Amino acid sequence: MEGKIKELRAQIEELAGKVAQIDELKDVRFKYLSKNGAIPALMKQLGSLSKEERPAAGKIINEFKVWATELFDKKEEELGKKALEMRYIKEAVDVTMPSKKSKAGHLHPVTLVRNELIDAFTGMGFTVFEGPEIEDDFHNFTALNVSADHPARDKQDTFYINDDLLLRTHTSPGQVRAMETMKPPFKIVSPGRVFRCDDDGTHAPMFHQMEGLVIDKNLSLCDLQGLLDTLAKTVFDKDTKTRFRPSFFPFTEPSVEVDVTCCECHGAGCSLCKGTGWIEILGGGVVNRNVIKNCGLDPDEWTGLAFGTGLDRIAMLKYGVNNIHLLYDGDVRILSQFRK
Ligand code: PHE
């Protein structure tokens, strides 16, 4: 028995000295200490000894078992520590290393222009009023005094959904919805997407406008001039001048088209303004009495000022973009240039 123990002890010492992984150690421990392992097998041999020999032999085997268990435990602790140290080394993070730059997004140039205008107008007491992109004929045309035979109603110009519903062709239906729902006097701006069957270098089937509407008593074209002058100076620079040219819109009377001094040459004349020194940026006027009536207000009591401007056009002028599609193709080489 003692010879056998000596042999096993030597084997265990050798194996335990060699193993480098916890898993291997577990295999060795299993081989010697599990129920059918070599050490319990010694216990089973006790039965073949004489009664007198048994207690002493049992004690020796037990001591051997305790020795082996302690050896494996110690080895396991050692290997565990070593594995942890290796992991610390492998997973170490050098906090002094520069981090990878994450690519943050930024606002689209049209959004920048929209936000600037909203800022300027809310500063003057305007609120933002948003209308739906799918409109009906009444809000997009009829209430705005657009006659039944007006070319804008043509199916070649407007995206119709059915005989009554269409994708709004301008933000002016926002005027109608504001007058229908708000109690005058009020001042609103209504920014949003608009749609027209149009597609070339300076026109896209989807673009953005911002409508402005003031409803109050005794408003005149002079008030509009002051407002739009502020708008121009906000978007371009404070030296920008505005001028009104007579125009026609069914929903305003009188109607004007508004030019600003060219942002490129400041009025001297260049290719952008075709030598005139002026660039058209919006349409506006005094709200037509018929429109006020169509929206349920008394035109003898209330007067209105309205204007509408193209946000994409302003962004293009302001940032020197010569093709509207560059704004919408999603090319990050273009769009990332507008990071502030
Ligand atoms: N809705 C007009 C357009 O799309 C612009 C406009 C708005 C003109 C308000 C007058 C008053 O061109």
Side-chain angles (χ1 to χ4, degrees), residues 255-294:
S255 301
V256 291
E257 250 154 359
V258 182
D259 298 340
V260 292
T261 39
C262 177
C263 49
E264 193 73 28
C265 63
H266 302 282
C270 68
S271 61
L272 182 66
C273 59
K274 302 195 180 81
T276 63
W278 296 92
I279 289 180
E280 185 206 318
I281 60 155
L282 55 85
V286 175
V287 180
N288 192 304
R289 287 174 59 85
N290 288 340
V291 176
I292 301 227
K293 213 187 311 171
N294 291 342

Short mmCIF file of all heavy atoms in Angstrom, two decimals, residues 255-294:
data_model
loop_
_atom_site.label_atom_id
_atom_site.label_comp_id
_atom_site.label_asym_id
_atom_site.label_seq_id
_atom_site.Cartn_x
_atom_site.Cartn_y
_atom_site.Cartn_z
N SER A 255 -49.74 92.83 -54.62
CA SER A 255 -48.73 91.78 -54.47
C SER A 255 -47.37 92.33 -54.87
O SER A 255 -47.28 93.21 -55.73
CB SER A 255 -49.04 90.60 -55.38
OG SER A 255 -50.30 90.05 -55.09
N VAL A 256 -46.36 91.79 -54.23
CA VAL A 256 -45.00 92.24 -54.56
C VAL A 256 -44.06 91.06 -54.67
O VAL A 256 -44.30 89.99 -54.09
CB VAL A 256 -44.43 93.19 -53.47
CG1 VAL A 256 -45.17 94.52 -53.46
CG2 VAL A 256 -44.46 92.54 -52.10
N GLU A 257 -43.01 91.29 -55.44
CA GLU A 257 -41.90 90.35 -55.40
C GLU A 257 -40.77 91.13 -54.74
O GLU A 257 -40.62 92.33 -54.95
CB GLU A 257 -41.53 89.89 -56.81
CG GLU A 257 -41.93 88.44 -56.99
CD GLU A 257 -42.20 88.04 -58.43
OE1 GLU A 257 -42.10 88.88 -59.33
OE2 GLU A 257 -42.48 86.86 -58.62
N VAL A 258 -40.02 90.45 -53.90
CA VAL A 258 -39.02 91.17 -53.12
C VAL A 258 -37.62 90.75 -53.54
O VAL A 258 -37.32 89.56 -53.62
CB VAL A 258 -39.22 90.90 -51.61
CG1 VAL A 258 -38.22 91.69 -50.79
CG2 VAL A 258 -40.64 91.26 -51.19
N ASP A 259 -36.81 91.75 -53.85
CA ASP A 259 -35.41 91.51 -54.22
C ASP A 259 -34.50 91.96 -53.08
O ASP A 259 -34.84 92.89 -52.34
CB ASP A 259 -35.02 92.33 -55.46
CG ASP A 259 -35.84 91.95 -56.69
OD1 ASP A 259 -36.39 90.83 -56.71
OD2 ASP A 259 -35.90 92.77 -57.62
N VAL A 260 -33.37 91.32 -52.97
CA VAL A 260 -32.35 91.79 -52.03
C VAL A 260 -31.09 92.11 -52.84
O VAL A 260 -30.89 91.56 -53.92
CB VAL A 260 -31.98 90.73 -50.96
CG1 VAL A 260 -33.13 90.51 -50.01
CG2 VAL A 260 -31.53 89.43 -51.59
N THR A 261 -30.27 93.00 -52.29
CA THR A 261 -29.01 93.27 -52.98
C THR A 261 -28.21 91.97 -53.02
O THR A 261 -28.19 91.20 -52.06
CB THR A 261 -28.19 94.36 -52.25
OG1 THR A 261 -28.32 94.15 -50.85
CG2 THR A 261 -28.66 95.74 -52.60
N CYS A 262 -27.57 91.74 -54.16
CA CYS A 262 -26.89 90.47 -54.41
C CYS A 262 -25.86 90.17 -53.31
O CYS A 262 -25.02 91.01 -52.98
CB CYS A 262 -26.21 90.54 -55.78
SG CYS A 262 -25.26 89.07 -56.15
N CYS A 263 -25.95 88.93 -52.76
CA CYS A 263 -25.07 88.58 -51.65
C CYS A 263 -23.63 88.36 -52.12
O CYS A 263 -22.71 88.30 -51.33
CB CYS A 263 -25.61 87.35 -50.93
SG CYS A 263 -26.02 86.01 -52.04
N GLU A 264 -23.46 88.23 -53.44
CA GLU A 264 -22.13 87.96 -53.99
C GLU A 264 -21.38 89.29 -54.26
O GLU A 264 -20.25 89.47 -53.82
CB GLU A 264 -22.30 87.17 -55.30
CG GLU A 264 -21.06 86.55 -55.84
CD GLU A 264 -20.60 85.34 -55.03
OE1 GLU A 264 -21.44 84.66 -54.42
OE2 GLU A 264 -19.38 85.12 -55.01
N CYS A 265 -22.06 90.23 -54.97
CA CYS A 265 -21.37 91.45 -55.39
C CYS A 265 -21.86 92.68 -54.62
O CYS A 265 -21.41 93.79 -54.86
CB CYS A 265 -21.59 91.68 -56.89
SG CYS A 265 -23.33 91.95 -57.31
N HIS A 266 -22.81 92.49 -53.70
CA HIS A 266 -23.39 93.57 -52.90
C HIS A 266 -23.93 94.71 -53.75
O HIS A 266 -23.82 95.88 -53.39
CB HIS A 266 -22.36 94.08 -51.87
CG HIS A 266 -21.89 92.99 -50.97
ND1 HIS A 266 -22.63 92.51 -49.92
CD2 HIS A 266 -20.76 92.23 -51.03
CE1 HIS A 266 -21.99 91.51 -49.35
NE2 HIS A 266 -20.85 91.31 -50.00
N GLY A 267 -24.48 94.39 -54.91
CA GLY A 267 -25.17 95.39 -55.71
C GLY A 267 -24.40 95.88 -56.92
O GLY A 267 -24.94 96.59 -57.77
N ALA A 268 -23.13 95.50 -57.03
CA ALA A 268 -22.31 96.01 -58.13
C ALA A 268 -22.68 95.36 -59.47
O ALA A 268 -22.51 95.96 -60.53
CB ALA A 268 -20.83 95.79 -57.83
N GLY A 269 -23.19 94.14 -59.41
CA GLY A 269 -23.52 93.41 -60.64
C GLY A 269 -22.52 92.29 -60.88
O GLY A 269 -21.31 92.55 -60.92
N CYS A 270 -23.01 91.05 -60.96
CA CYS A 270 -22.12 89.91 -61.20
C CYS A 270 -22.91 88.82 -61.92
O CYS A 270 -24.08 89.02 -62.24
CB CYS A 270 -21.54 89.38 -59.89
SG CYS A 270 -22.78 88.61 -58.83
N SER A 271 -22.28 87.67 -62.15
CA SER A 271 -22.99 86.64 -62.91
C SER A 271 -24.16 86.06 -62.11
O SER A 271 -25.17 85.66 -62.66
CB SER A 271 -22.02 85.54 -63.34
OG SER A 271 -21.47 84.94 -62.19
N LEU A 272 -24.03 86.03 -60.78
CA LEU A 272 -25.10 85.45 -59.95
C LEU A 272 -26.40 86.26 -60.10
O LEU A 272 -27.48 85.71 -60.24
CB LEU A 272 -24.67 85.41 -58.48
CG LEU A 272 -25.68 84.79 -57.51
CD1 LEU A 272 -25.87 83.30 -57.80
CD2 LEU A 272 -25.24 84.95 -56.06
N CYS A 273 -26.26 87.61 -60.10
CA CYS A 273 -27.46 88.46 -60.21
C CYS A 273 -27.68 88.93 -61.64
O CYS A 273 -28.45 89.84 -61.89
CB CYS A 273 -27.34 89.64 -59.24
SG CYS A 273 -25.89 90.67 -59.54
N LYS A 274 -26.99 88.28 -62.55
CA LYS A 274 -27.09 88.61 -63.99
C LYS A 274 -26.86 90.09 -64.24
O LYS A 274 -27.57 90.74 -65.02
CB LYS A 274 -28.44 88.17 -64.55
CG LYS A 274 -28.69 86.67 -64.36
CD LYS A 274 -29.84 86.18 -65.22
CE LYS A 274 -30.07 84.69 -65.03
NZ LYS A 274 -30.85 84.38 -63.83
N GLY A 275 -25.91 90.66 -63.52
CA GLY A 275 -25.52 92.05 -63.74
C GLY A 275 -26.46 93.09 -63.14
O GLY A 275 -26.18 94.29 -63.23
N THR A 276 -27.56 92.65 -62.50
CA THR A 276 -28.54 93.65 -62.03
C THR A 276 -28.23 94.16 -60.62
O THR A 276 -28.73 95.20 -60.21
CB THR A 276 -29.95 93.04 -61.99
OG1 THR A 276 -29.94 91.96 -61.03
CG2 THR A 276 -30.38 92.51 -63.34
N GLY A 277 -27.47 93.41 -59.88
CA GLY A 277 -27.19 93.79 -58.49
C GLY A 277 -28.28 93.35 -57.52
O GLY A 277 -28.15 93.49 -56.30
N TRP A 278 -29.38 92.79 -58.04
CA TRP A 278 -30.50 92.38 -57.19
C TRP A 278 -30.85 90.91 -57.42
O TRP A 278 -30.71 90.40 -58.51
CB TRP A 278 -31.75 93.22 -57.50
CG TRP A 278 -31.59 94.66 -57.17
CD1 TRP A 278 -31.16 95.65 -58.00
CD2 TRP A 278 -31.83 95.28 -55.90
NE1 TRP A 278 -31.12 96.85 -57.35
CE2 TRP A 278 -31.54 96.66 -56.05
CE3 TRP A 278 -32.27 94.82 -54.65
CZ2 TRP A 278 -31.66 97.58 -55.00
CZ3 TRP A 278 -32.41 95.73 -53.61
CH2 TRP A 278 -32.10 97.09 -53.79
N ILE A 279 -31.35 90.25 -56.37
CA ILE A 279 -31.79 88.86 -56.48
C ILE A 279 -33.16 88.72 -55.84
O ILE A 279 -33.39 89.20 -54.72
CB ILE A 279 -30.78 87.92 -55.78
CG1 ILE A 279 -29.49 87.87 -56.60
CG2 ILE A 279 -31.35 86.53 -55.61
CD1 ILE A 279 -28.44 86.98 -56.01
N GLU A 280 -34.07 88.05 -56.55
CA GLU A 280 -35.42 87.87 -56.00
C GLU A 280 -35.41 86.77 -54.95
O GLU A 280 -34.85 85.70 -55.17
CB GLU A 280 -36.37 87.49 -57.13
CG GLU A 280 -37.81 87.41 -56.69
CD GLU A 280 -38.62 86.46 -57.56
OE1 GLU A 280 -38.46 86.48 -58.79
OE2 GLU A 280 -39.41 85.69 -56.96
N ILE A 281 -35.97 87.04 -53.78
CA ILE A 281 -35.99 85.97 -52.77
C ILE A 281 -37.38 85.60 -52.27
O ILE A 281 -37.55 84.57 -51.65
CB ILE A 281 -35.08 86.26 -51.55
CG1 ILE A 281 -35.51 87.53 -50.83
CG2 ILE A 281 -33.62 86.25 -51.92
CD1 ILE A 281 -35.09 87.51 -49.37
N LEU A 282 -38.37 86.45 -52.49
CA LEU A 282 -39.69 86.04 -52.01
C LEU A 282 -40.84 86.80 -52.64
O LEU A 282 -40.64 87.80 -53.33
CB LEU A 282 -39.77 86.14 -50.48
CG LEU A 282 -39.43 87.43 -49.77
CD1 LEU A 282 -40.64 88.34 -49.70
CD2 LEU A 282 -38.97 87.10 -48.36
N GLY A 283 -42.03 86.27 -52.40
CA GLY A 283 -43.25 86.93 -52.85
C GLY A 283 -44.08 87.28 -51.63
O GLY A 283 -43.98 86.62 -50.59
N GLY A 284 -44.88 88.31 -51.77
CA GLY A 284 -45.71 88.68 -50.61
C GLY A 284 -46.74 89.70 -50.99
O GLY A 284 -46.93 90.01 -52.18
N GLY A 285 -47.42 90.23 -50.00
CA GLY A 285 -48.41 91.27 -50.27
C GLY A 285 -49.39 91.42 -49.13
O GLY A 285 -49.24 90.82 -48.06
N VAL A 286 -50.38 92.25 -49.40
CA VAL A 286 -51.46 92.43 -48.43
C VAL A 286 -52.50 91.36 -48.74
O VAL A 286 -52.89 91.20 -49.91
CB VAL A 286 -52.07 93.84 -48.57
CG1 VAL A 286 -53.27 94.00 -47.64
CG2 VAL A 286 -51.01 94.90 -48.27
N VAL A 287 -52.92 90.63 -47.73
CA VAL A 287 -53.82 89.48 -47.98
C VAL A 287 -55.12 89.97 -48.65
O VAL A 287 -55.75 90.93 -48.21
CB VAL A 287 -54.14 88.74 -46.66
CG1 VAL A 287 -55.08 87.56 -46.93
CG2 VAL A 287 -52.85 88.24 -46.01
N ASN A 288 -55.45 89.31 -49.74
CA ASN A 288 -56.66 89.65 -50.52
C ASN A 288 -57.90 89.53 -49.64
O ASN A 288 -58.05 88.58 -48.87
CB ASN A 288 -56.73 88.68 -51.70
CG ASN A 288 -57.75 89.08 -52.73
OD1 ASN A 288 -58.93 89.26 -52.40
ND2 ASN A 288 -57.31 89.23 -53.97
N ARG A 289 -58.80 90.52 -49.76
CA ARG A 289 -60.04 90.53 -48.95
C ARG A 289 -60.82 89.21 -49.11
O ARG A 289 -61.42 88.72 -48.17
CB ARG A 289 -60.94 91.69 -49.39
CG ARG A 289 -60.46 93.06 -48.97
CD ARG A 289 -61.35 94.12 -49.58
NE ARG A 289 -62.75 93.99 -49.18
CZ ARG A 289 -63.26 94.50 -48.06
NH1 ARG A 289 -62.50 95.17 -47.24
NH2 ARG A 289 -64.54 94.32 -47.78
N ASN A 290 -60.80 88.67 -50.34
CA ASN A 290 -61.53 87.42 -50.58
C ASN A 290 -60.98 86.28 -49.71
O ASN A 290 -61.73 85.44 -49.24
CB ASN A 290 -61.41 87.00 -52.05
CG ASN A 290 -62.21 87.89 -52.95
OD1 ASN A 290 -63.14 88.58 -52.48
ND2 ASN A 290 -61.88 87.91 -54.23
N VAL A 291 -59.67 86.27 -49.54
CA VAL A 291 -59.05 85.19 -48.75
C VAL A 291 -59.48 85.33 -47.29
O VAL A 291 -59.86 84.35 -46.63
CB VAL A 291 -57.51 85.23 -48.87
CG1 VAL A 291 -56.87 84.18 -47.97
CG2 VAL A 291 -57.09 85.01 -50.32
N ILE A 292 -59.46 86.57 -46.79
CA ILE A 292 -59.86 86.80 -45.39
C ILE A 292 -61.31 86.32 -45.20
O ILE A 292 -61.63 85.63 -44.22
CB ILE A 292 -59.72 88.31 -45.05
CG1 ILE A 292 -58.27 88.72 -45.28
CG2 ILE A 292 -60.26 88.61 -43.66
CD1 ILE A 292 -57.60 89.50 -44.24
N LYS A 293 -62.14 86.64 -46.18
CA LYS A 293 -63.55 86.23 -46.12
C LYS A 293 -63.67 84.71 -46.19
O LYS A 293 -64.38 84.08 -45.41
CB LYS A 293 -64.32 86.88 -47.28
CG LYS A 293 -65.77 87.21 -46.93
CD LYS A 293 -66.58 87.69 -48.13
CE LYS A 293 -65.88 88.79 -48.94
NZ LYS A 293 -66.55 89.10 -50.20
N ASN A 294 -62.94 84.10 -47.14
CA ASN A 294 -63.00 82.64 -47.31
C ASN A 294 -62.58 81.90 -46.04
O ASN A 294 -62.95 80.74 -45.83
CB ASN A 294 -62.07 82.19 -48.44
CG ASN A 294 -62.57 82.64 -49.81
OD1 ASN A 294 -63.74 82.98 -49.96
ND2 ASN A 294 -61.67 82.66 -50.79
#
